[in-house]
């Protein structure tokens, strides 16, 4: 039996996912793995992301335009009119996740370009942790297409900065 058939039979909610949703999740797993290997030397963390993006900024390699749409998406997902939405708690921010910086950028209070891109990638990192550590299964990975679509665009844009072999 192939893994997709097995998941359809055994994982609650998996069978209800569209092909587009399944593809976005699969692409995310591959893109994150490639990003962590290429950009973070296999040591992904919020602090490593922050250091990487500030290095890119100092080197003049950071262009914010490709990230703008995804940043706006996540800002609107997690804050509305300056108030947290119920989705923010679902990020499961940890003490090492630069919590104050994440809130300031998502709320629109910090417009530093490097901080904004770093926070966007920290959000992607939290999506990664929530998927790979099982938290997304609590609601059967439902309603995640836009999250993973924007995360994938973000990772591809970041990988373009890293440069490919």
């Amino acid at each position: 039996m192939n893994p997709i058939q097995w998941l359809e039979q055994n994982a609650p909610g998996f069978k209800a996912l569209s092909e587009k949703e399944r593809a976005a999740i699969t692409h995310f797993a591959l893109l994150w793995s490639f990003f962590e290997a290429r950009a973070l030397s296999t040591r992904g963390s919020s602090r490593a992301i922050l250091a990487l993006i500030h290095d890119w900024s100092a080197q003049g390699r950071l262009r914010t335009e490709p990230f703008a749409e995804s940043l706006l998406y996540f800002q609107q997902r997690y804050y509305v009119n300056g108030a947290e939405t119920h989705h923010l708690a679902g990020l499961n921010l940890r003490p090492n996740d630069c919590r104050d910086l994440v809130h300031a950028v998502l709320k629109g209070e910090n417009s530093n370009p490097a901080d904004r891109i770093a926070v966007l990638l920290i959000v992607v990192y939290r999506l990664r942790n929530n998927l790979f550590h099982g938290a997304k299964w609590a609601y059967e990975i439902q309603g995640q297409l836009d999250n993973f679509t924007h995360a994938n665009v973000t990772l591809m844009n970041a990988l373009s900065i890293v440069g490919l072999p």
Side-chain angles (χ1 to χ4, degrees), residues 4-103:
I4 297 298
Q5 290 172 329
W6 189 93
L7 286 166
E8 286 176 344
Q9 293 174 7
N10 295 286
F14 188 82
K15 193 171 188 170
L17 295 176
S18 70
E19 287 301 316
K20 198 171 183 178
E21 290 169 313
R22 292 176 186 188
I25 294 166
T26 300
H27 298 158
F28 176 76
L30 293 168
L31 286 166
W32 175 266
S33 176
F34 189 44
F35 173 75
E36 187 169 357
R38 295 281 301 164
L40 301 173
S41 301
T42 70
R43 292 186 175 91
S45 72
S46 294
R47 299 280 180 200
I49 289 167
L50 188 61
L52 172 71
I53 301 307
H54 280 272
D55 281 350
W56 286 352
S57 182
Q59 296 166 9
R61 297 173 60 198
L62 191 63
R63 290 186 17 251
T64 58
E65 302 82 33
F67 298 95
E69 184 179 335
S70 294
L71 177 62
L72 181 61
Y73 166 78
F74 285 114
Q75 285 177 314
Q76 292 174 344
R77 178 174 174 78
Y78 297 118
Y79 278 90
V80 173
N81 298 323
E84 292 180 15
T85 69
H86 69 281
H87 297 293
L88 188 62
L91 277 179
N92 297 315
L93 289 168
R94 304 290 189 236
N96 290 334
D97 288 326
C98 312
R99 183 184 304 264
D100 292 341
L101 178 64
V102 169
H103 285 274

